[in-house]
Amino acid sequence: MAQVWPDILTVLPVSEAELNLSFSEKIELSLVDILKQATNQLYDKNGTRDGVETAQIVLDFSWEKLNTGTWRDVDKEWRRVYSYGCLFKVTALCCGEVSQLKIDEAIKTCDMGLLMGASILDDVLQKLVRVLQNKAKAWQSKHTEPIVEPERKKFKTECDPAPIINPAKAVPRIYCPSLEQFRTEFLDPLRPVILEGVIDHWPAFKEHPWSIDYLRTVAGCRTVPVEVGSRYTDEAWSQTLITVSEFIERYILGKGNTGKGYLAQHQLFDQIPELKEDIRIPDYCCLGEGEEDDITINAWFGPGGTVSPLHQDPQQNFLAQVVGRKYIRLYSTEETERLYPHQSQLLHNTSQVGLLCCAG
């Protein structure tokens, strides 16, 4: 593969002085010295390969800090240190002639920084991964023979028969209500509603219809967190980090009989802005508290049979279904005591009652 270093340089700080390595006293001085050594290696010899070993020391040390105790108690400074380690490893991998394997490793390293670290240097890891993806796509289009497939792979839409719902208990549907109508009839009185016609204009339906092929093209090489198991309350439930392509092969197409896998409640659109361009934030969200930048956008992507246990979310939610179908059962807050929330802090928002019907 041709050199990628000139493109890498365009997103890095111009000089060593602009790469600000300022940390609080919580970060050991010995580790700060190693970070400075990595910085010197980066700017002294235009990304010397010796930097991989130095960067790995930073990553190994900060990884231990990230995985000690609960995630909410991890100091943001350690997340910043981890991101700098990812930055130094990526730049060291990308100097000189690089192979496709090194590009793949560099992309994964960027994703690990985006998932586990904190934003540094004006989101430099996001800029780096975009450069690397573009380089990888250009190389693949030049060196890979086109594959003629008999049929474009689409999402499997077959699923269990839709449940029969008592009309008296069904959530009402309304077509594109005004903001005022939505506020007065649903938001303020806390009444659930299905809004029809409000996302039909999304590029995910029009310009870039979401399909397996499309997601592979846009995000196939990106590393994401995947829940393994039918539901997060199961004893055998676990989490893993794999690429989107691997997730599709194993769990969406079902190759290998590896059970259930669910990309659930992940801020995929922050990690991969190209996918965020395919959706739009509904105007109704402006009626909530806070600014638009405070809106959290999560993604759920999985095969039939995945289940989110009965639970309560602390915020108001809009659920937009782009592909497939989801069955949702809602209970009034007046029923809370009868739903028996778990006593543990970890599952305090989850019911101990298991709903046996309508998985998928």
Side-chain angles (χ1 to χ4, degrees):
M1 181 179 289
Q3 288 193 358
V4 68
W5 186 247
D7 298 316
I8 294 293
L9 281 177
T10 63
V11 301
L12 295 178
V14 176
S15 66
E16 184 175 342
E18 295 181 33
L19 202 155
N20 181 23
L21 288 177
S22 177
F23 299 99
S24 71
E25 65 280 357
K26 294 182 179 181
I27 308 303
E28 289 89 333
L29 290 178
S30 59
L31 186 61
V32 174
D33 288 339
I34 296 174
L35 286 162
K36 290 179 179 178
Q37 178 185 343
T39 305
N40 293 334
Q41 290 173 334
L42 169 58
Y43 285 95
D44 184 37
K45 295 182 179 180
N46 292 327
T48 173
R49 289 183 177 84
D50 296 337
V52 173
E53 183 176 343
T54 307
Q56 196 61 51
I57 294 173
V58 175
L59 290 172
D60 291 343
F61 196 95
S62 54
W63 182 258
E64 291 298 321
K65 297 293 184 179
L66 296 183
N67 288 277
T68 300
T70 58
W71 178 251
R72 65 174 175 270
D73 294 328
V74 174
D75 195 282
K76 188 177 179 180
E77 288 290 83
W78 285 112
R79 296 177 60 198
R80 290 182 62 234
V81 170
Y82 186 79
S83 291
Y84 274 105
C86 291
L87 167 63
F88 293 132
K89 183 174 181 179
V90 169
T91 54
L93 286 168
C94 293
C95 67
E97 292 286 335
V98 295
S99 64
Q100 182 63 47
L101 287 177
K102 283 194 174 183
I103 291 291
D104 291 342
E105 185 179 357
I107 291 175
K108 180 178 180 179
T109 302
C110 284
D111 278 326
M112 291 302 296
L114 293 170
L115 292 170
M116 304 296 292
S119 176
I120 59 171
L121 304 175
D122 195 26
D123 286 331
V124 67
L125 292 177
Q126 192 68 262
K127 296 174 183 176
L128 283 171
V129 78
R130 190 173 296 119
V131 168
L132 294 168
Q133 270 194 283
N134 290 338
K135 184 66 69 171
K137 289 177 182 177
W139 186 89
Q140 289 172 352
S141 63
K142 184 177 180 181
H143 294 85
T144 304
E145 292 293 331
I147 299 174
V148 179
E149 296 184 355
E151 183 179 359
R152 184 177 182 181
K153 292 186 177 67
K154 298 182 179 179
F155 290 109
K156 182 180 178 181
T157 56
E158 298 86 356
C159 49
D160 296 333
I164 299 175
I165 300 175
N166 183 341
K169 296 182 178 181
V171 174
R173 296 171 177 264
I174 187 170
Y175 184 85
C176 293
S178 67
L179 293 178
E180 184 60 28
Q181 181 184 7
F182 174 74
R183 182 201 291 275
T184 56
E185 295 185 15
F186 302 103
L187 182 61
D188 289 346
L190 302 179
R191 292 180 59 214
V193 63
I194 297 174
L195 304 178
E196 297 184 328
V198 300
I199 64 172
D200 295 350
H201 63 288
W202 282 8
F205 294 102
K206 302 289 187 180
E207 294 92 335
H208 307 133
W210 281 5
S211 66
I212 288 176
D213 291 336
Y214 177 72
L215 293 182
R216 276 176 169 163
T217 299
V218 173
C221 63
R222 305 299 297 275
T223 297
V224 293
V226 171
E227 298 180 359
V228 180
S230 293
R231 63 194 77 198
Y232 63 76
T233 51
D234 292 346
E235 289 187 8
W237 179 89
S238 63
Q239 291 178 297
T240 189
L241 292 168
I242 57 177
T243 66
V244 170
S245 287
E246 290 172 325
F247 169 71
I248 289 173
E249 288 293 315
R250 292 185 198 177
Y251 300 113
I252 303 301
L253 299 180
K255 296 182 179 179
N257 297 320
T258 51
K260 298 293 182 184
Y262 200 12
L263 196 164
Q265 199 166 339
H266 174 49
Q267 294 182 18
L268 183 69
F269 304 105
D270 289 336
Q271 182 187 356
I272 308 175
E274 295 90 338
L275 289 177
K276 193 172 184 177
E277 295 173 2
D278 290 339
I279 66 173
R280 301 289 183 266
I281 296 177
D283 292 340
Y284 305 102
C285 291
C286 73
L287 300 175
E289 299 178 357
E291 303 297 327
E292 182 173 316
D293 291 341
D294 298 326
I295 297 172
T296 299
I297 306 177
N298 291 316
W300 285 260
F301 180 19
T306 53
V307 177
S308 293
L310 192 61
H311 66 280
Q312 176 195 21
D313 288 328
Q315 299 172 320
Q316 300 280 14
N317 288 324
F318 279 95
L319 171 65
Q321 192 78 19
V322 178
V323 177
R325 187 184 73 208
K326 182 180 288 290
Y327 171 82
I328 299 174
R329 182 179 293 187
L330 301 173
Y331 289 91
S332 168
T333 55
E334 297 176 357
E335 303 291 342
T336 299
E337 291 185 358
R338 300 178 182 86
L339 296 175
Y340 304 97
H342 281 272
Q343 298 302 307
S344 67
Q345 180 62 30
L346 185 62
L347 294 174
H348 71 280
N349 70 327
T350 302
S351 171
Q352 299 179 57
V353 178
L355 301 181
L356 300 180
C357 67
C358 306

